[in-house]
Amino acid sequence: MKKKILIIGSNFALNYHLKIIYEIYKNSEVHIVSPNIYKKKINNKIIKHVDFKKVLNKYTFNFILCCATPNVQTNFIKYIFSNKIKIKNILLEKPVSLNLRILNEFLKYSKKNKINLAFNFTYSNLKIINRIKKITVNNSKEYELSFSLNFMHPFFLKKNKSWKNFISNGGGIINYYLNHILFSLIKIFGELKIKSLKIISNKKNQLIKLKLNLLNKKININMNINMFSKLNIHKYELYHKKDKKIFLTKKKNWYLEYEYYDNKKKYLYKENIINLIKLNYTYLKKKKFINSKYLNEIYLNEELCHKLNKKLKNYDFKKM
């Protein structure tokens, strides 16, 4: 019998995930849900739907990918536990949910019903993240970490109504840009507390800069974000006395490559976005038990993002 696969969402899912799904779940029966799916040109072998609730009530799936807006994904995970839907494997996007209570109920339901979960935090699969972990965790030196991000936010170039720009829709600088980075840092160092947050806005009360200090017993992290910069720099700096290590990219696409400077030595790390996404599928397929540590890291990251967004809600571009 063919395995049944459900995809919720049609943009990023079709451009990146579908190829991986066909590779991992060979000869499977693929269903896709999207409100405007019949307007899109896709393979006729893919079974099209417009309402995920009707589909879940009619079919039982081996694997579900939810790659839709935060609002849709929040409704999806709520529907799963509210209607006691049985499923073996689910892959979700970030941010996971607009509501922490709904996320908590979903995680508890998944544990109880042995649903294997993975989350598409592709950034945490980067070689530089693994390198930072090896340097800091497997070392007796106590490093400080400085992170800086300089770019011109797309909203300043051309105003648009994409959810990615708006905090109230699940986007914004935290959920859409920093979510991946914060999760990677939590995976390395554990739960992070907000020590301070400085918000800098322009005359129109539009957010342009953030200065964020996070810490725990293992690390002190200073983050400087400039959303109105002609530069395009994404950089980590690890310090310990005279020892300094730098990871940076000037690419608009953070996933392409990074330069690594270890004192006077220079290394180059190149990446492939498809392979990074595929690692999340591989993780899901190999899982034979519920990884409570991983799920706790997911929740801690969502909780941290929610706290930061509360402090920034008055600077939401949607209010401008």
Side-chain angles (χ1 to χ4, degrees):
M1 184 179 291
K2 285 186 176 182
K3 289 187 176 179
K4 285 186 172 62
I5 311 299
L6 175 61
I7 299 171
I8 301 173
S10 60
N11 293 326
F12 193 78
L14 289 175
N15 292 331
Y16 292 94
H17 287 271
L18 188 60
K19 181 181 178 181
I20 299 170
I21 287 170
Y22 277 137
E23 183 181 329
I24 293 178
Y25 296 98
K26 292 180 173 62
N27 301 314
S28 57
E29 180 182 295
V30 178
H31 297 243
I32 189 164
V33 174
S34 178
N36 60 351
I37 195 63
Y38 289 100
K39 295 180 182 179
K40 302 202 173 189
K41 294 181 180 180
I42 62 173
N43 191 323
N44 289 329
K45 292 182 179 179
I46 299 175
I47 303 167
K48 306 175 189 69
H49 310 271
V50 294
D51 187 338
F52 73 77
K53 295 177 182 178
K54 291 181 180 179
V55 179
L56 290 172
N57 290 336
K58 186 175 180 179
Y59 300 95
T60 299
F61 293 96
N62 301 93
F63 168 76
I64 298 176
L65 163 69
C66 188
C67 189
T69 66
N71 273 312
V72 171
Q73 184 159 279
T74 300
N75 290 333
F76 164 70
I77 65 173
K78 183 179 180 181
Y79 194 81
I80 290 291
F81 69 77
S82 298
N83 293 273
K84 296 180 171 54
I85 302 295
K86 303 299 181 185
I87 172 73
K88 185 177 180 182
N89 300 296
I90 299 177
L91 177 60
L92 297 169
E93 265 296 341
K94 60 85 186 172
V96 183
S97 175
L98 298 179
N99 187 301
L100 283 176
R101 183 190 61 79
I102 289 174
L103 174 59
N104 188 46
E105 288 297 318
F106 172 70
L107 294 178
K108 287 195 294 185
Y109 176 81
S110 299
K111 285 182 184 180
K112 183 178 179 180
N113 291 277
K114 298 181 180 179
I115 299 173
N116 289 329
L117 298 177
F119 302 83
N120 197 36
F121 282 97
T122 50
Y123 190 89
S124 63
N125 295 328
L126 288 173
K127 297 183 185 78
I128 64 155
I129 298 300
N130 291 322
R131 186 64 186 156
I132 291 171
K133 182 177 181 179
K134 287 180 180 178
I135 292 169
T136 55
V137 175
N138 300 329
N139 202 316
S140 59
K141 296 178 182 177
E142 292 183 0
Y143 284 94
E144 282 202 22
L145 175 61
S146 174
F147 171 80
S148 57
L149 173 61
N150 296 272
F151 73 113
M152 182 62 69
H153 195 289
F155 194 79
F156 291 123
L157 297 173
K158 185 179 179 180
K159 290 185 178 181
N160 61 79
K161 296 181 180 180
S162 170
W163 68 267
K164 299 171 186 177
N165 296 321
F166 307 129
I167 296 170
S168 54
N169 289 356
I173 184 62
I174 302 299
N175 277 357
Y176 190 69
Y177 290 92
L178 298 184
N179 197 304
H180 272 288
I181 293 154
L182 294 172
F183 177 70
S184 300
L185 296 175
I186 287 171
K187 276 190 73 177
I188 297 172
F189 304 112
E191 184 176 3
L192 295 169
K193 300 290 186 181
I194 302 169
K195 184 179 180 181
S196 64
L197 174 64
K198 184 177 181 181
I199 300 167
I200 301 169
S201 61
N202 60 18
K203 292 179 180 179
K204 296 180 180 179
N205 203 39
Q206 294 172 323
L207 178 65
I208 57 171
K209 292 182 182 180
L210 286 177
K211 294 181 181 294
L212 173 63
N213 182 213
L214 300 169
L215 78 166
N216 63 18
K217 292 180 180 179
K218 297 178 183 177
I219 193 77
N220 183 46
I221 303 169
N222 288 298
M223 305 183 79
N224 292 284
I225 316 301
N226 187 344
M227 300 161 52
F228 196 80
S229 172
K230 292 181 180 179
L231 299 175
N232 195 72
I233 299 175
H234 185 102
K235 181 167 66 173
Y236 297 85
E237 295 176 89
L238 280 169
Y239 296 94
H240 175 78
K241 295 180 180 179
K242 294 181 179 181
D243 186 11
K244 184 176 180 181
K245 305 178 191 300
I246 298 173
F247 303 83
L248 72 88
T249 183
K250 295 180 181 179
K251 302 286 185 183
K252 287 186 178 180
N253 185 338
W254 304 348
Y255 293 90
L256 291 178
E257 65 179 42
Y258 279 82
E259 297 170 12
Y260 168 38
Y261 297 89
D262 186 353
N263 295 317
K264 294 182 179 181
K265 293 182 180 180
K266 178 183 175 181
Y267 306 88
L268 185 65
Y269 291 139
K270 292 193 174 185
E271 303 285 358
N272 179 293
I273 184 66
I274 293 292
N275 290 337
L276 292 170
I277 295 172
K278 194 187 295 184
L279 286 173
N280 295 317
Y281 282 83
T282 304
Y283 168 79
L284 192 62
K285 200 168 184 181
K286 286 182 178 179
K287 280 177 68 175
K288 294 181 179 179
F289 59 91
I290 303 297
N291 189 334
S292 295
K293 181 177 180 293
Y294 174 61
L295 297 185
N296 186 54
E297 290 166 347
I298 293 294
Y299 187 83
L300 289 174
N301 182 62
E302 291 289 305
E303 186 178 47
L304 178 58
C305 290
H306 277 251
K307 287 177 181 177
L308 290 169
N309 279 323
K310 280 185 179 180
K311 296 177 183 291
L312 297 176
K313 64 182 181 180
N314 291 332
Y315 301 91
D316 194 346
F317 285 140
K318 201 165 188 179
K319 296 183 178 183
M320 306 304 165

